[in-house]
Amino acid sequence: MKIYKKTNVYEEALNRIRYLYDEFDEVVVGYSGGKDSTVTLRLAVQVAKELGKLPVKALFIDQEAEWGAVVDHMRELKEDPNVDLRWYQIPFDIYNATSNIKQWMTAWGDGEEWMRPREENSIKDNLYGTTKFYNLFNKIIEKDFPKNTILLGGVRSEESPRRHVAMTQEPTYKYITWGKKLNPELGQYTFYPIYDWSYTDVWKAIHDNQWGYTKVYDYQ
């Protein structure tokens, strides 16, 4: 069942992020360069500006085989004074969907030939106790950021029934269902403030606000 309110999803997402800034000491955005994480980051920047808490920290886990337009966008973002982008180009394992024999392949593998050079000012050493992509986010938050820190992600329930159920059923923190626990004993969680947005809401927000985005969407 959907409940319609007098506020729109844009206003609701801003209110959610404001609440999270009040509840937690540090807010970090998990950034892929995609349209959904772009909106999440820009909403966080808007709230942080209101609260005098700029720049917004963002982390990008570079999978080496990234679209050229994504890399260009990240380089532009590094120059944005409102964003403190942490660019991780560390060795880690990615599930290999191209082979029935070799289950894993390694991004930024030591001694291997890479698809492109690493960025000069990226984070290059994997000091996080895991080589699996799925575990990297919570391990990075645990090691590189203080207690009572949350990660904002751009996951939306519209993308799959499973996501919809996961983000509307069980509370993660107080009354909030649209999130998951990272290291709750350290006060660390992931939240998805645009979980109820449609893809049309995403593009409307990007174009109405003239936010920069990855041009691979235009090329495709």
Side-chain angles (χ1 to χ4, degrees), residues 25-39:
D25 296 332
E26 189 82 76
V27 175
V28 182
V29 177
Y31 196 67
S32 68
K35 66 185 190 307
D36 300 333
S37 61
T38 291
V39 167

Side-chain angles (χ1 to χ4, degrees), residues 17-114:
I17 296 172
R18 291 184 184 110
Y19 175 77
L20 294 173
Y21 265 99
D22 286 341
E23 289 288 299
F24 295 92
D25 296 332
E26 189 82 76
V27 175
V28 182
V29 177
Y31 196 67
S32 68
K35 66 185 190 307
D36 300 333
S37 61
T38 291
V39 167
T40 304
L41 176 62
R42 290 303 162 188
L43 292 173
V45 167
Q46 184 173 334
V47 172
K49 187 175 182 179
E50 293 174 7
L51 301 175
K53 294 187 176 182
L54 290 173
V56 173
K57 293 183 175 65
L59 63 88
F60 169 49
I61 300 179
D62 190 331
Q63 300 176 86
E64 186 183 338
E66 301 282 358
W67 294 103
V70 171
V71 177
D72 292 340
H73 178 65
M74 291 298 173
R75 289 171 179 162
E76 293 172 357
L77 197 62
K78 284 289 288 185
E79 303 302 317
D80 188 335
N82 294 319
V83 179
D84 175 10
L85 179 65
R86 314 290 180 91
W87 195 329
Y88 293 82
Q89 294 181 313
I90 61 178
F92 64 92
D93 296 331
I94 304 174
Y95 180 74
N96 185 4
T98 66
S99 172
N100 292 324
I101 300 171
K102 186 178 180 182
Q103 184 178 10
W104 302 99
M105 51 187 174
T106 304
W108 307 111
D110 293 328
E112 297 181 359
E113 181 181 359
W114 302 327

